[in-house]
Structure formats: structure tokens, C-alpha cells
Amino acid sequence: WKVNAGLFKRVWLMLYNDILSMGMGHWRALKPTYPGRLFLMLVFNVINWALATYGVVVIAQQEGDFASFLLGVFISNLLLYTSFYIIMKLRHGERICRQAMTYILLSWLCWAPAMYFFLNKSTTWQLLPAESRRYNQSCRLFHFYDNHDIWHFLSALALFFSFMILLTIDDDLAEKPRDKIPV
């Protein structure tokens, strides 16, 4: 597909032909080309809609911390996309190289404690700084850094390793022709 002025015409013709064929009793237009991808995308859409519903019901009605909620949605989608890509690679018989496996392990080792510190809040964005100080906890790391600082360290490492997964996961395919790569 090319993105040019004829894009809308091609989309219209495709939809028109699919609707026309369904009208004649040919339901193959509804059959997905990639059922595995469709299933995972439906599952991930359900997760995103659940997050959105949670945001509307809990965050909006209780005047919760929308910025942290949005950050949680972004993190969830990063993890969902990464897992989707890994699942599709494995499903199509591609292997994951050792370097990418190392980054996967390191990212999960950082994400797990990072999410612990993210969910156990020691700050709030909704109050003034002076009022937010009552959420402060004693320093845990080197008697200097509190939970929020540790969250920043771990989440930065986890993000780095997550993006390194995406950067290196296809390194073994460098010499393979693009038309031979299924994912």
C-alpha cells in the first residue's frame, strides 16, 4: 500500500467490494487474513477498554490522579505491544536471539519492583507541595532516596531495557530478505 491521493479510493473500493460480496452470500470478506493477530488484538483491545473504563469510573468520579493513571496506560501498552511482538515471532517459528532474551529478563527484573514503587505512592500531584509532604516516607536507598526516587530509577532502567528489546529482537534477521519475514 502506498499512502497517496488514491488511498481513499482504494479503501472505498475494498469496502464496496466486500459489502457487495457479502450481499451475494459470500461471507469470506469477514474472515480475517491473520486470525492469530486478530485474537491478540481483540484481547489487547479489551484490556485497553477495561483501563479506559477504570479511568472513567474510578479516576474521574473520585477525582483521582489522572496523570499517574495515564502513565499506567502508557506503560501497559508498551508491555502489551512488546509481548504481542514476541508472541507473534514465536508463533511464526522465529527465534529470539540471546541479546534480546537478556534484555527481556532485565526489563522484567526492573518492571516488577518499579511497579511496586509506582503503586505504593509516596507523592501526590493533586496537592500543593507543602501538603504533599505528609505522604513522604523515610528514605530507603542509601538513607537518601525515598520510594518515589526508587520508582524513577527502576522505571528508567525498565524503559531502557524494554526499548532495547524492540531494538535488538530482529537482529538475527539482518541478512534475511524482507519478503521472507512473516512478522
Side-chain angles (χ1 to χ4, degrees):
W1 283 68
K2 293 181 181 177
V3 178
N4 57 20
L7 176 69
F8 296 111
K9 181 179 178 184
R10 288 191 306 272
V11 169
W12 167 252
L13 287 174
M14 182 184 69
L15 289 173
Y16 176 77
N17 288 329
D18 286 349
I19 292 169
L20 194 63
S21 67
M22 286 187 322
M24 291 195 269
H26 302 289
W27 295 97
R28 68 179 174 269
L30 295 177
K31 182 180 183 278
T33 308
Y34 303 104
R37 287 184 193 176
L38 176 68
F39 174 74
L40 281 175
M41 295 310 286
L42 287 175
V43 169
F44 293 166
N45 263 291
V46 167
I47 292 170
N48 271 295
W49 280 105
L51 287 171
T53 304
Y54 172 79
V56 168
V57 171
V58 175
I59 303 297
Q61 290 183 353
Q62 295 177 0
E63 295 183 23
D65 185 3
F66 180 74
S68 293
F69 164 72
L70 193 59
L71 182 60
V73 170
F74 289 151
I75 291 169
S76 300
N77 277 286
L78 169 68
L79 297 175
L80 286 173
Y81 172 76
T82 305
S83 62
F84 170 79
Y85 195 72
I86 291 169
I87 290 169
M88 295 301 349
K89 278 185 73 71
L90 295 174
R91 190 168 177 275
H92 288 282
E94 293 184 28
R95 66 179 193 87
I96 298 175
C97 59
R98 186 176 294 138
Q99 184 181 17
M101 285 299 286
T102 303
Y103 289 132
I104 291 170
L105 176 69
L106 289 172
S107 101
W108 282 105
L109 286 175
C110 290
W111 273 123
M115 293 314 295
Y116 168 79
F117 288 109
F118 177 69
L119 295 173
N120 294 320
K121 300 191 181 308
S122 62
T123 61
T124 180
W125 296 9
Q126 297 173 305
L127 302 174
L128 296 172
E131 296 170 332
S132 176
R133 285 196 186 103
R134 67 182 157 163
Y135 285 96
N136 288 357
Q137 297 173 357
S138 61
C139 296
R140 290 185 168 196
L141 186 63
F142 307 125
H143 300 290
F144 187 75
Y145 299 109
D146 69 351
N147 286 354
H148 190 75
D149 298 320
I150 297 170
W151 145 251
H152 279 280
F153 296 144
L154 290 172
S155 64
L157 283 171
L159 281 170
F160 170 75
F161 290 132
S162 295
F163 287 120
M164 287 304 292
I165 293 168
L166 297 175
L167 183 68
T168 61
I169 198 162
D170 286 332
D171 281 355
D172 60 329
L173 302 175
E175 302 299 320
K176 196 170 188 178
R178 286 183 71 136
D179 61 338
K180 303 286 189 237
I181 301 173
V183 178

